[in-house]
Amino acid sequence: MSALTLRLPEQKHQRLKALAKSKGMSVNHLLEEVTTLILAEFDLKTQFEIRAQRGQEKAERGQELLNKAKTGFSE
């Protein structure tokens, strides 16, 4: 596990402490949960973009095949 130094304005730090306390956890645990959510969102976005790109390539090929098929039927 790694350590990370985070500099925050005092007011924000106090609010984070109050939030963590209201959830019955430490500020460290609260921030760990928040970063897990942010990273999961980032991973999903990245996976979506990769799949969308793959789909775009297949859609273009599919359109080419449809156009070719239409041309063959009209002759």
Side-chain angles (χ1 to χ4, degrees):
M1 190 170 287
S2 298
L4 175 70
T5 300
L6 178 64
R7 298 192 193 293
L8 296 172
E10 186 61 31
Q11 183 181 19
K12 192 175 282 186
H13 180 227
Q14 293 305 318
R15 291 177 66 204
L16 280 172
K17 283 172 55 174
L19 176 60
K21 184 177 180 181
S22 75
K23 293 183 171 285
M25 63 178 68
S26 67
V27 172
N28 186 69
H29 189 217
L30 176 69
L31 291 176
E32 185 178 348
E33 284 192 358
V34 169
T35 56
T36 298
L37 292 172
I38 292 169
L39 290 171
E41 181 182 330
F42 174 74
D43 291 345
L44 286 171
K45 180 178 180 274
T46 301
Q47 289 173 1
F48 176 82
E49 289 171 349
I50 289 169
R51 288 182 181 187
Q53 182 60 39
R54 286 182 190 156
Q56 180 63 31
E57 293 166 3
K58 290 178 182 179
E60 290 171 4
R61 176 67 179 139
Q63 191 61 48
E64 289 173 11
L65 292 172
L66 283 173
N67 290 338
K68 185 177 180 180
K70 287 180 187 178
T71 304
F73 286 124
S74 64
E75 293 177 352

